[in-house]
Amino acid sequence: MTWLVVGLGNPGPTYAATRHNVGYLVADVLADRMGGRFKAHTSGRAEVVEGRLAGQRAVLGRARSYMNESGGPVKTLTSYFDVEPEHLVVVHDELDIDFGALRLKLGGGDNGHNGLKSIRQSIGTGDFHRVRVGIGRPPGRQSVHDFVLKPYSSTERKELPVLLEEAADAVESLLTRGLSETQSAFNR
């Protein structure tokens, strides 16, 4: 049984430090833990790290496309590695959760998240695991689009490394302990 853990984000240096790329950042932490580096997948649509994560056979993935086109690359990886939706974990930013908080769930709606919407459309179901990393709501009248594509505030940047490690811990726990135990330990 292989797990596919996908960190959502946008490619390129312009987006590297933005809130929308927290999935990529968590995937980087997990790659370090696996002792691997992302390499181009043969499809050219994604980058992957293959190996063991928390003792489980796992593939880390991140699309080489923009967030709203994540579904195609994720579908390619699930097909190539023969991963069923119940063994797919998607790590993504979540506006409706305060910065610094995590929540895990199986299935659910897209809640306006274009990456999740694209994945649901491409694989034909929303019944996959989600590690939702809180980024909070935009302040004042700032648009959601501008907020998610801006870098973290200086205060958030100081706290971000701890959040990324905790999100990576949650992914490892999900793979080894299952959803219910992991939710009890990490959802807040």
Side-chain angles (χ1 to χ4, degrees):
M1 163 178 71
T2 299
W3 286 90
L4 174 61
V5 179
V6 176
L8 293 187
N10 288 307
T14 302
Y15 301 103
T18 65
R19 292 177 179 92
H20 220 20
N21 270 36
V22 74
Y24 271 21
L25 298 175
V26 173
D28 287 341
V29 171
L30 291 167
D32 286 345
R33 291 181 182 188
M34 290 174 69
R37 297 177 63 109
F38 281 97
K39 295 183 279 188
H41 182 258
T42 57
S43 67
R45 302 183 77 189
E47 297 174 329
V48 296
V49 176
E50 297 179 60
R52 299 196 79 70
L53 181 61
Q56 304 294 312
R57 170 88 181 106
V59 176
L60 299 179
R62 56 185 186 196
R64 286 186 159 178
S65 61
Y66 289 100
M67 179 74 77
N68 60 351
E69 299 170 344
S70 298
V74 171
K75 172 66 174 163
T76 296
L77 294 177
T78 59
S79 296
Y80 185 87
F81 292 104
D82 195 27
V83 174
E84 295 297 320
E86 61 268 15
H87 288 107
L88 171 62
V89 180
V90 177
V91 183
H92 65 91
D93 59 303
E94 180 64 56
L95 285 165
D96 290 333
I97 301 173
D98 291 338
F99 175 80
L102 298 172
R103 297 220 182 98
L104 288 88
K105 70 177 186 174
L106 174 63
D110 305 330
N111 200 24
H113 196 291
N114 289 329
L116 295 176
K117 180 180 178 182
S118 178
I119 293 169
R120 174 191 293 276
Q121 289 172 342
S122 293
I123 69 171
T125 183
D127 293 335
F128 50 87
H129 291 92
R130 295 124 189 255
V131 176
R132 302 157 62 209
V133 182
I135 62 170
R137 284 259 164 210
R141 294 178 183 240
Q142 184 178 21
S143 77
V144 167
H145 179 266
D146 289 344
F147 179 71
V148 300
L149 295 178
K150 292 234 186 256
Y152 286 96
S153 71
S154 59
T155 302
E156 291 169 333
R157 279 195 303 275
K158 290 176 187 168
E159 298 173 24
L160 187 60
V162 173
L163 178 60
L164 298 177
E165 291 290 338
E166 189 173 5
D169 291 346
V171 170
E172 288 185 340
S173 176
L174 179 61
L175 272 54
T176 58
R177 295 169 43 196
L179 180 61
S180 182
E181 276 189 57
T182 302
Q183 285 175 318
S184 294
F186 290 91
N187 281 12
R188 49 184 155 79

